[in-house]
Amino acid sequence: MKKNKIILVLLIVLLSLVVALQAQENAGLKLPAGFKATLFADTIGSARHIAITSNGVVFAKLMYPNKAGNSIVRLQDANQDGVADNIKGWAKYGGTGIYVRGNQLYATSDNDVYLYQLNEKDEVVNPQSPKTIVKGLLARNQHASKSITLDGQNNIYVNIGAYSNACQEKDRVKGSKGMFPCPILDSAGGIWKFDGNKENQVYANGERYATGLRNVVGLDWNKQSNSLFVLQHGRDQLNSFYPELYSNEESAELPAETMYEIHKGDDAGWPYVYYDPFQKKKILSPEYGGDGKKEGGENAIDPAVFFPAHMAPNALLFYTGNQFPAKYKNGAFIAFHGSWNRAPLPQEGYFVAFVPFKNGKPNGAWEIFANGFAGEGKVMNTRKAKARPCGLAQGPDGSLYVSDDSRGSIFKISYTK
Amino acid sequence: MNNKVLFLSFICVIIFSNTVSAQDLAKGKKIYETRCLVCHQADGGGVPNMNAPLDGASNVVGNNIARLVRIIRAGYSEKVPLDGMYYNNVMTPNPDLKDADIANVLSYIRTSWSNKASKITVAQVQAVKGKK
């Protein structure tokens, strides 16, 4: 009798363990058939962008120093089981951008770009004394984070976000007009290009490579087209400031989040226009006399791809690996951080999307690649999202890594057939 | 008898004139939904790193009522930590809100979600003058 009871209890424990393990299958992510995911790391801190060396060592840039007091984290999976087993860190400054090129590691604060040297084991040689590559960039709270990417020719591209929603005389004040010309665009609201190695560069040493971009967090260099692609965070609060022109529902769906292919000198139109995904047109902003229908931005470029509003695209990665099926080769993965500006409607995003590319151009509709980061059900309030995808990187074996700045996790997604 | 009724009525007037009615809270909720909810969210939780939370925030349920009134009136853009976190977005000013509106929305915020702070009266809002 007693024995039976013990066996029963053991059975129940075993069963609940199996259930718990099954709930954690693919680290809670929903993936296309043949893909699997592991929780590579968890609660490492507010992991923004990530970068991976040719030996598979992962570096994550944190928005705040974590509990150990570090704002850059180095993660290694020595036993190759898909979970980091050697985690260290350094640096005190918060930030978003991180990029690996050979044995060079770039990282950004909200004002500066730093360069660290790696040794043959991908350990940082100079954690306390990086070279300062760029310094003194504008950071006025809003859209202050600096994202970076490099081309194949030693140039570094830095996003400097506009410290404004729509360049009003008074930011986010109902009835305040848009300034013309928008004075913010002299030193923000675009992409700046600098030398990737020269030290102590300031604005005067760089060039405004592209303008009219409200805030870019995700950007990557496309090796096929040999050009820069960026993702813009579209403007907020059309309904809050212009309730007579936009309903709650319209405001939740406008404007589109946009991907642009950028060539030197391009203007994407902010703040004068936004992109309407239904009319498929650049519409004059209400701060500049728009009524939701009038077009504008005759000299501004059109998006290469557009997505539903407010989903906050925070990372872009062109997949060059050989592990995933052929359709993914050279295509774009996008990490959507997830919306807040759709309230009172349910929030959207919180997934990794994929756009097929051919010869450096978008080639087909976008689709959700990895979902389930936020947990079960609809997200009504942003803070309830468990994980928020923020960074992307490709491992040397072709696996895709996704970082999250909410729970502080990194997911590793692989294709297994 | 008449005197007794008069006296009781007088007491009632004194008690209720200094409190915030359910009707006022409903008005406060309406203001919250039209002006505050997009950024501070339906659950008062705000948006991490962007928009400050109101639910459980130490200064929202704290005793510095004048500061809360001034933030609602004039907006806010200073980079000051709240309970150890920074919030980057700017707060929209509401110069057109009347003192009674501010009292109602503050009362709603301070008694909603997990907040159990005191309600705010019109007199408390009226007493706040100036910008600092």
Side-chain angles (χ1 to χ4, degrees), chain A residues 265-300:
Chain A
D266 275 348
D267 177 356
W270 181 90
Y272 313 117
V273 292
Y274 66 81
Y275 195 77
D276 183 318
F278 306 104
Q279 303 181 65
K280 299 188 173 62
K281 286 173 183 169
K282 287 166 291 194
I283 300 296
L284 196 63
S285 301
E287 290 81 359
Y288 291 88
D291 59 1
K293 293 184 186 72
K294 277 186 221 162
E295 292 181 57
E298 292 73 18
N299 298 318

Side-chain angles (χ1 to χ4, degrees), chain B residues 42-78:
Chain B
D43 69 348
V47 177
N49 306 313
M50 291 280 303
N51 307 324
L54 303 177
D55 180 26
S58 59
N59 60 6
V60 171
V61 296
N63 295 323
N64 192 346
I65 308 304
R67 182 158 182 263
L68 298 177
V69 172
R70 287 189 183 111
I71 288 174
I72 290 178
R73 280 180 184 156
Y76 197 73
S77 61
E78 287 168 46

Side-chain angles (χ1 to χ4, degrees), chain B residues 95-130:
Chain B
D96 55 323
L97 280 185
K98 295 186 170 64
D99 288 347
D101 297 330
I102 294 175
N104 292 342
V105 75
L106 269 179
S107 296
Y108 172 74
I109 289 166
R110 282 164 59 89
T111 58
S112 290
W113 318 297
S114 71
N115 291 345
K116 290 180 177 65
S118 64
K119 291 169 188 161
I120 303 299
T121 62
V122 182
Q124 279 174 290
V125 177
Q126 276 167 349
V128 180
K129 300 270 185 325

Side-chain angles (χ1 to χ4, degrees), chain A residues 42-55:
Chain A
D42 201 10
T43 63
I44 63 162
S46 48
R48 298 283 288 173
H49 281 176
I50 46 176
I52 306 182
T53 70
S54 56
N55 300 315

Side-chain angles (χ1 to χ4, degrees), chain A residues 90-110:
Chain A
W90 78 96
K92 301 290 170 219
Y93 57 91
T96 289
I98 196 151
Y99 191 93
V100 166
R101 179 177 66 169
N103 58 3
Q104 293 182 304
L105 175 71
Y106 293 85
T108 68
S109 69
D110 286 352

Side-chain angles (χ1 to χ4, degrees), chain A residues 165-170 172-179 235-248 250-251 254 271 274 284-292, chain B residues 34:
Chain A
N165 179 37
C167 206
Q168 292 167 281
E169 287 166 2
K170 286 180 181 165
R172 298 186 195 249
V173 172
K174 194 174 173 178
S176 176
K177 276 189 195 161
M179 292 186 277
R235 56 155 306 150
D236 302 324
Q237 290 175 287
L238 284 166
N239 167 259
S240 305
F241 305 136
Y242 298 92
E244 68 284 5
L245 293 175
Y246 303 92
S247 68
N248 268 337
E250 287 167 326
S251 191
L254 291 173
Y274 66 81
L284 196 63
S285 301
E287 290 81 359
Y288 291 88
D291 59 1
Chain B
T34 49

